[in-house]
Amino acid sequence: MGRRRRQVREEASAWAAAGTRTLPDAIAALSRSLPAGPSPEIFRRAKFDRPEAAPELWRLLFRVLSPLLADRAAASPGLGAQACWVKAVLCYHGYPRSALAQLPEDGSQGSRELLLALSWLLARGPLLEWLLAQTCVQLGDQVPTFEYEVLAIPRLAAPQMDAEGPVDIRHLQWLMGKLHFRWQNLISIQQEQCALLSKIHTYTFGCHSDQNLGHLSVTETETLRDPEGSQQLLQVLEQENARLEAALEWRRYELVFWQWMDTVLGACPPEDPSVPSFQPRIPEHGRGKLELVARELQALKEELQVLQKLLHEEVLSRRQAWETRVGALGHGPEWSTSRQDLQQAVEQELLALQQSWKQDRYPSLPRRRHRLVKIEAGAAGAQGLPVAEVIRGLKSQEASLEVVLCQLQGQCRQELARLVGTMPGLIWILPPGR
Amino acid sequence: MSIVTVQLGQCGNQIGFEVFDALFMDSQCSQGFCSKRENEAYQASCRERFFREENGVPIARAVLVDMEPKVINQILSKAAQPGRWKYGQHACFCQKQGSGNNWAYGYSVHGPKHEESIMSLIQKEVEKCDSLSGFFIIMSIAGGTGSGLGAFLTQRLQDHYSNALKMNQIIWPYGTGEVIVQNYNSILTLSHLYRSSEALLVHENDTIHKICAKLMNIKQISFRDINQVLAHQLGSVFQPTYSAEGSFHYRRNPLGDLMENLVPHPEFKMLGVRNIPQMSENSLAYSTFTWVGLLKHLRQMLISNAKMEEGIDWQVRPSLPRLPPLNKLSLNREQHFNTSLANLVILRGKDVQNANLEGFKDPALYTSWLRPADALSVWKTSRAFNRYERSAALVSNSQFFVRPLDTIVGKAWNMFASKAYIHQYTKFGIEEEDFLDSFTLLEQVIASYCNL
């Protein structure tokens, strides 16, 4: 009995001691697992809102929020642009505190607010896992599948293109043509890549130690051919391992970090309710358009409500009619069993409909990365995702996108016809069709 | 990336032979004025694009089509000499009877009848490419086989190989040509090609004839001489060049890059080539040029629409930059200033990195809706072409062909107005409607180019 009480007391004191000792470890683990993570000292200074910690945190947030852009080192914008962008993206993602919006745009202050923003991002979703997945080293050849999420990130503002006066439509046609040619070039390069990949896979068949894979990928073939280059690959793998280990360590000490963040939040001055919440600057002509859009939305909402009411009434009247018809029928035992069967059949049909509707609207494609493996036709025990399924998924995506394209083209044609109608005496001569 | 050439008719086949020969001889040439390694890279790039290997012998990536066997047999035997290149063994398609210069016969009869055989020949050649960049289709626009069948085949290629690019090398007939219906044939060919091809690279017989006479000092000009000059022009455009400024890798897809820079707009597809310098082989050893001189002449050739470096009108000058666009248009028209849509300048030879192209970046040369940065592209290589120590070529999408096209359309219209020789065409399914469509399309093209 006594021994047990002593154990509990020991555990409690160990835990209390662990609290103060592992905070630096926790923060160190966090910064090691982040790409370009700042030193733990920066975190500590940020708690006290020291200005020297601000630039590093701005850069970290920029890197975290735009892993795709930040890869190209040459295109790295200045601190001011980074700060502006980070503020916009955080607002877009719904960051609740208005203090962020009021930080100066030169990136010189606000380290505590940035620390809060970082922990908000960490708490929202699997940020670390997402970042690690972005820079994951691939040893196999990848299947490029169409990823919707790439398009959701707001882009850095393009250089100001003032349309002084009307744009010459020939210039637009010129640009469309260029795009078309580049697209074709991309497709033929991809086809060539596939043909060459197929060659490598066929030549190296039987070389892989893993029986399930059977052949080497391009990266693996390169490491065999070029031992010095493989040293670099090893280094990259080791770096990734270090980050993964840091991420695991972070998971163990996470609780300590959140306890500390509570104190950081406590150290902030209370929010001033009179300050307006973050509002992005809207250019003049944009404001008019936004009003139009807002009005349209309002009109659509009202229409939707009216339609809903109508639908409701319709459903009600039909149900009453059905009840009066059905109510006359008997309630015998054989009626209840047939009713049960009917109910089951209807449920199944509904389920099937829902499934097919879901599949049509969002044809499911594999989100995880898959390694490209060439197997003999009809080989047994093939694991992973078969190519036929990917092709099916892509084809259904293509079909739905084509439908959308046709609809949009039809809308454009209607709009053009309407515009032509407003200008009497105008003759359309279409260019020689492509 | 490889280019497959389709040689059509007497004209197309003879020219095609000279083109492959010029490309091959240039790639073999050891006098490249550059390092050995450079030479080898150049050779490899050229070989991969236009030839394939079979038992150590280079085989041209080409399909030969003609309705008569005579010309094809001639060039097959000329090509198959030891130490040189060959045509593929089964790359030819011939028939025993010609087309009698009847476009409609070539388009409506020969085309559908022989479509399958010809397309399967092309397919076999395409399969032997690791990656296909596109097609060259060499044809004349005034004859019977080349023009009608060529128009038909280009359409079929468009349907079958929608991802591959097509450049039609078209031979513009002599103004005083022998074929009476050459204007009909020309307008029908041009309008059909405009719909299905991406680019039309025009070679004018009259121009090349003058080059042979004045620059090369040839007394008795044969078709062989003309074809060789043409082949030299094409070679100077499509032989390998560096892929980017400062790079030493050769460009992988010159056809695609050319098209992207010159013909993205669907209304402007007519391209012309100008070369400088051009001279006989004897004079080659005694001449030397500077980039400054060459580029100055080339620029003036462009803006004054001169066909060669002799007899250039130096009075033609770009109008002042501050003029409003409408005044500029009329002033340019008065002095026959050739406005460009887009230009591609290709420089080959010694010290190519020192060549100054500021003259070509003048916005006055170009149309108002395209900036010189978008309109001008420059390709370079330090490896000399065809033993010319320094040479420059210009591929231009400009008003070069407004007048010749207008002339041909005018003549064809006059004939059409009196319904002369129409029955030859309606007999084989080409109705007056088709003629009218062609006239409309070409008038539209002329108008678009005039409004640059």
Side-chain angles (χ1 to χ4, degrees), chain A residues 58-255:
Chain A
W58 280 116
R59 271 191 275 270
L60 171 65
L61 278 173
F62 182 75
R63 180 72 180 79
V64 159
L65 290 170
S66 66
L68 298 170
L69 287 180
D71 272 344
R72 286 175 278 140
S76 176
L79 186 58
Q82 287 184 359
C84 209
W85 195 81
V86 165
K87 278 162 78 167
V89 176
L90 281 173
C91 169
Y92 170 83
H93 284 296
Y95 185 65
R97 288 171 59 85
S98 59
L100 179 75
Q102 294 155 36
L103 291 174
E105 303 225 328
D106 58 6
S108 58
Q109 286 180 32
S111 49
R112 181 161 59 207
E113 193 59 40
L114 295 175
L115 186 57
L116 287 172
L118 178 66
S119 45
W120 180 78
L121 285 170
L122 275 171
R124 254 173 101 239
L127 181 69
L128 275 183
E129 283 78 356
W130 188 68
L131 286 171
L132 285 167
Q134 297 287 333
T135 52
C136 178
V137 174
Q138 298 299 337
L139 286 178
D141 301 314
Q142 294 309 307
V143 180
T145 55
F146 185 58
E147 290 170 11
Y148 286 108
E149 55 242 31
V150 181
L151 304 172
I153 304 176
R155 310 225 154 270
L156 259 179
Q160 275 296 79
M161 296 270 287
D162 299 312
E164 287 163 354
V167 174
D168 197 319
I169 193 172
R170 293 176 288 181
H171 189 60
L172 285 174
Q173 286 175 306
W174 179 268
L175 293 172
M176 283 289 292
K178 268 192 115 123
L179 200 63
H180 182 77
F181 278 124
R182 289 204 185 165
W183 209 229
Q184 277 186 322
N185 196 21
L186 189 64
I187 290 177
S188 33
I189 290 179
Q190 277 186 336
Q191 281 179 330
E192 192 183 357
Q193 189 194 33
C194 285
L196 293 173
L197 269 180
S198 176
K199 264 193 192 167
I200 291 184
H201 291 183
T202 327
Y203 289 166
T204 61
F205 201 74
C207 293
H208 207 285
S209 49
D210 183 350
Q211 286 306 314
N212 289 331
L213 296 172
H215 63 77
L216 301 176
S217 72
V218 174
T219 322
E220 289 163 349
T221 316
E222 273 302 303
T223 52
L224 282 181
R225 266 171 27 123
D226 174 26
E228 285 95 44
S230 65
Q231 289 301 324
Q232 280 180 335
L233 183 63
L234 197 61
Q235 269 180 354
V236 175
L237 281 169
E238 280 171 358
Q239 279 172 357
E240 192 186 339
N241 264 353
R243 275 182 64 190
L244 286 167
E245 280 171 1
L248 283 174
E249 216 184 301
W250 153 254
R251 284 286 165 226
R252 279 177 28 218
Y253 297 142
E254 218 183 318
L255 192 57

Side-chain angles (χ1 to χ4, degrees), chain A residues 253-413:
Chain A
Y253 297 142
E254 218 183 318
L255 192 57
V256 177
F257 179 79
W258 293 119
Q259 289 170 343
W260 180 67
M261 281 310 296
D262 273 336
T263 67
V264 173
L265 192 58
C268 276
E271 284 240 300
D272 190 354
S274 65
V275 172
S277 59
F278 185 61
Q279 273 191 353
R281 200 169 36 95
I282 307 173
E284 268 306 320
H285 51 271
R287 204 164 284 157
K289 278 195 213 136
L290 276 177
E291 273 182 23
L292 275 171
V293 170
R295 252 184 269 145
E296 257 180 68
L297 269 175
Q298 186 65 14
L300 281 172
K301 222 159 85 171
E302 285 165 10
E303 239 188 270
L304 193 65
Q305 280 175 346
V306 167
L307 282 171
Q308 268 181 342
K309 229 170 66 169
L310 279 174
L311 189 67
H312 194 70
E313 285 169 12
E314 188 67 25
V315 162
L316 220 61
S317 63
R318 289 244 179 133
R319 190 161 287 176
Q320 281 172 355
W322 175 251
E323 293 283 306
T324 49
R325 263 177 54 193
V326 160
L329 293 173
H331 297 272
E334 69 283 333
W335 171 243
S336 61
T337 47
S338 60
R339 209 164 98 162
Q340 266 176 6
D341 294 329
L342 270 174
Q343 265 182 339
Q344 262 181 5
V346 165
E347 266 172 20
Q348 275 179 353
E349 264 212 54
L350 197 61
L351 212 62
L353 265 175
Q354 274 180 340
Q355 287 281 44
S356 69
W357 182 80
K358 227 184 347 183
Q359 267 177 0
D360 283 336
R361 289 233 22 215
Y362 306 100
S364 57
L365 268 190
R367 294 294 186 196
R368 295 185 297 123
R369 310 267 181 111
H370 284 258
R371 178 179 169 135
L372 193 60
V373 176
K374 187 166 179 165
I375 55 173
E376 302 288 309
Q383 302 172 339
L385 190 67
V387 167
E389 212 177 293
V390 179
I391 293 180
R392 245 200 314 270
L394 284 170
K395 279 203 174 136
S396 57
Q397 263 190 351
E398 185 189 8
S400 47
L401 284 171
E402 283 251 17
V403 166
V404 173
L405 178 68
C406 278
Q407 280 176 349
L408 288 171
Q409 281 178 333
Q411 280 175 4
C412 276
R413 255 180 244 125

